Amino acid sequence: MAEEAGAGAMAGLEHPGWDPAAGEEFLREALRVLLEDAVRKGTDVTEKVCEWREPSELRDLLDLELRSRGEAPERLLQRCRDVVRFSVKTGHPRFFNQLFSGLDPHALAGRLLTEALNTSQYTFEVAPVFVLMEGVVLAKLRELVGWSSGDGIFAPGGSMCNMYAMNVARFQRFPECRSLGMAALPRLALFTSCDSHYSIQKGAAFLGIGTDNVHLVATDERGKMIPEELEKEIQKAKAEGAEPFLVCATCGTTVLGAFDPLGAIADVCERYGLWLHVDAAWGGSALLSSKHRDLLAGIERAHSVTWNPHKMLTVGLQCSAFLLRDTSGLLQRCHGSGATYLFQRDKFYDISYDTGDKSPQCGRRVDCLKLWLLWKATGTQGLAQRVERAFACSRYLAEEVKRRDGFELVMEVAPAIKERMMRKGSMMVGYQPHGTRVNFFRQIVTSPAVTKADLDFFLDEIERLGWDL
């Protein structure tokens, strides 16, 4: 009996464990759903941004339970349609809620290819095309920053890029921390504006620096870091026995979109021998535009930069670059472990192309293809026009807000209006407080699909939804 069972099992290995023809047919139909529902309808201004359901209702509609037996292809395709139907359409021209709005067809093609090829960006052996491509794309981004050489890597989001900066800056200043840990180091201090991204606080906690050692520097009325206040905070930290090591400036703060004065901040960093990191996750794309790159004047003096092309360039999540001016192999020395089962020293090709040891990750998704393909499609000039169009939309909207009466009062009822717009599905825009100011709408324009009509609709819809509040 055992022999018969063994023979039956071996016979089952004569053929693939799945039906390739059926799989291909399902994929073909699923791609039709993607193009029709997610792309065409998802970017159609006459369709809803979202079809809101309460969690309990949505759970029932989706039938999320996982069972012991599989389902028929027709049922699975309907599930794909349901996923699209009840998801937020971030490519919709009236999705203003986050910084990653918009859907570019070339970038999407890159994302689909990346998923289909399903490789890890750690060795030339398994990702030969993408290792070379990542190097070219990172070099181009560094060139726009103003560096003729350097290093870098794509990371899973701007928050992780900022943490890279903190880790690398600490290692550069105190290389013994890699082996001895924080116990062997003095109490460190880092500095960022009070309007900076929350990832700086998270990074300090995650890396063992401590949130109490993040010194928040005052900003002016436009949300820009005040260099004189930065210097005072550095002197205060030193007087308290701490060891300052890093300053994080921001180009494009989350709420006000402010650009810190990089030149003056760089002067302070040079006086005190501090690492200057620039979080340009949102604002970095302004470097592509000759009209707006002055907003980042002095960025070439930074030691490291965070830049998220998945924001203003609409490349699609995720595409976040950590750029480094250093050419001494600092990333490799800080993060490398030389695992012999992956980074063998006796490979038949140039092992300098095995770049994965620069990252604390092992498996690392390919994030360069979608940006590379978009760049190939539009050229640098096309990307610059995309940036300039976003600025032009923002200028138009600001002038319209100034022109219309009553919008100052809307600030006090933002949560109620947000609920009404979500339930209606007409558009999405975020709100938040800032300092002593009550909740207000933070309108974000990055998608190239946005037109003047959409911006007018944004203001008209807020008036319609809030007329009785």
Side-chain angles (χ1 to χ4, degrees):
M1 294 294 291
E3 290 181 3
E4 290 178 5
M10 290 300 293
L13 298 180
E14 297 294 330
H15 305 285
W18 67 300
D19 184 344
E24 184 176 326
E25 177 61 25
F26 173 78
L27 183 59
R28 185 179 293 109
E29 294 302 316
L31 287 173
R32 287 197 181 96
V33 173
L34 184 150
L35 288 172
E36 177 66 18
D37 293 40
V39 176
R40 193 189 68 78
K41 290 183 180 178
T43 59
D44 185 345
V45 74
T46 65
E47 299 281 343
K48 288 185 176 183
V49 176
C50 66
E51 193 165 321
W52 177 259
R53 294 290 189 277
E54 294 296 332
S56 59
E57 182 186 4
L58 185 60
R59 189 177 289 110
D60 292 338
L61 285 168
L62 293 176
D63 183 20
L64 296 174
E65 183 181 347
L66 299 173
R67 300 179 176 85
S68 59
R69 290 186 175 274
E71 297 180 340
E74 296 77 14
R75 185 73 181 106
L76 295 175
L77 290 170
Q78 184 56 49
R79 295 203 182 281
C80 291
R81 295 186 189 96
D82 289 342
V83 166
V84 176
R85 177 185 173 189
F86 296 113
S87 291
V88 174
K89 315 306 186 295
T90 66
H92 194 286
R94 291 173 183 171
F95 175 82
F96 303 114
N97 211 64
Q98 259 76 39
L99 292 164
F100 51 77
S101 63
L103 192 154
D104 181 271
H106 304 99
L108 178 59
R111 293 155 74 183
L112 294 173
L113 284 170
T114 295
E115 295 302 316
L117 292 170
N118 188 40
T119 195
S120 180
Q121 180 100 37
Y122 48 33
T123 65
F124 185 81
E125 183 176 342
V126 296
V129 172
F130 301 129
V131 165
L132 297 179
M133 185 181 291
E134 182 179 58
V136 169
V137 173
L138 290 170
K140 193 67 177 178
L141 295 176
R142 288 195 303 268
E143 177 187 321
L144 289 164
V145 169
W147 302 332
S148 59
S149 59
D151 203 351
I153 199 164
F154 280 96
S159 292
M160 290 305 301
C161 289
N162 289 339
M163 292 184 199
Y164 269 45
M166 297 162 71
N167 201 38
V168 169
R170 179 175 64 180
F171 174 79
Q172 188 270 342
R173 183 73 169 268
F174 303 102
E176 62 272 22
C177 71
R178 177 182 164 94
S179 56
L180 300 177
M182 290 294 290
L185 302 181
R187 180 163 61 89
L188 301 181
L190 63 92
F191 307 84
T192 191
S193 90
C194 59
D195 288 347
S196 64
H197 193 256
Y198 70 92
S199 60
I200 307 304
Q201 300 273 5
K202 280 197 170 187
F206 184 77
L207 295 170
I209 296 168
T211 56
D212 287 352
N213 296 314
V214 178
H215 295 252
L216 300 178
V217 181
T219 57
D220 63 17
E221 70 281 357
R222 301 298 298 272
K224 300 179 181 182
M225 184 192 292
I226 303 171
E228 294 77 12
E229 294 299 317
L230 169 63
E231 190 151 20
K232 289 178 184 177
E233 287 291 337
I234 294 171
Q235 293 170 349
K236 178 182 175 183
K238 289 171 68 71
E240 293 172 350
E243 186 75 27
F245 78 106
L246 174 140
V247 173
C248 176
T250 310
C251 286
T253 58
T254 306
V255 178
L256 296 183
F259 287 72
D260 287 341
L262 300 182
I265 292 171
D267 290 340
V268 174
C269 290
E270 287 181 3
R271 279 199 292 276
Y272 291 91
L274 306 183
W275 184 285
L276 173 58
H277 174 66
V278 176
D279 176 6
W282 178 77
S285 295
L287 290 168
L288 286 153
S289 167
S290 59
K291 294 181 180 179
H292 301 296
R293 65 173 292 119
D294 285 349
L295 290 167
L296 298 100
I299 194 171
E300 71 282 354
R301 298 172 64 185
H303 296 86
S304 57
V305 171
T306 291
W307 185 348
N308 286 4
H310 70 234
K311 290 179 177 168
M312 202 181 299
L313 299 184
T314 66
V315 176
L317 288 165
Q318 61 194 29
C319 190
S320 302
F322 174 66
L323 307 174
L324 198 63
R325 181 154 50 103
D326 175 84
T327 58
S328 70
L330 194 57
L331 266 177
Q332 178 81 26
R333 288 184 285 116
C334 181
H335 296 136
S337 63
T340 55
Y341 55 81
L342 189 59
F343 303 110
Q344 299 95 333
R345 308 298 298 176
D346 57 352
K347 289 185 176 181
F348 63 93
Y349 59 83
D350 182 353
I351 60 172
S352 67
Y353 289 104
D354 288 354
T355 57
D357 227 11
K358 295 178 181 180
S359 167
Q361 297 173 253
C362 180
R364 187 165 65 88
R365 62 174 291 127
V366 174
D367 289 327
C368 59
L369 175 58
K370 53 199 166 192
L371 176 55
W372 180 84
L373 200 59
L374 171 61
W375 212 317
K376 281 286 192 181
T378 66
T380 305
Q381 290 182 347
L383 294 179
Q385 290 170 4
R386 185 163 295 189
V387 171
E388 288 163 8
R389 194 174 191 279
F391 274 86
C393 285
S394 296
R395 280 195 302 271
Y396 171 79
L397 193 63
E399 291 303 316
E400 282 295 296
V401 169
K402 291 176 185 177
R403 187 180 65 81
R404 298 193 184 201
D405 295 329
F407 269 78
E408 192 71 17
L409 297 175
V410 172
M411 293 172 64
E412 300 179 3
V413 293
I417 292 178
K418 176 65 177 278
E419 179 182 356
R420 290 179 177 183
M421 76 172 65
M422 290 289 289
R423 293 187 181 282
K424 184 179 178 184
S426 57
M427 66 178 184
M428 277 185 69
V429 60
Y431 70 85
Q432 59 279 303
H434 183 263
T436 59
R437 299 171 182 170
V438 296
N439 283 325
F440 62 92
F441 287 113
R442 180 189 64 151
Q443 216 279 7
I444 301 163
V445 183
T446 58
S447 171
V450 173
T451 66
K452 178 177 175 292
D454 298 315
L455 300 175
D456 290 336
F457 176 88
F458 165 76
L459 298 175
D460 294 338
E461 184 72 346
I462 288 179
E463 289 184 317
R464 281 192 292 266
L465 294 171
W467 72 269
D468 61 334
L469 295 174

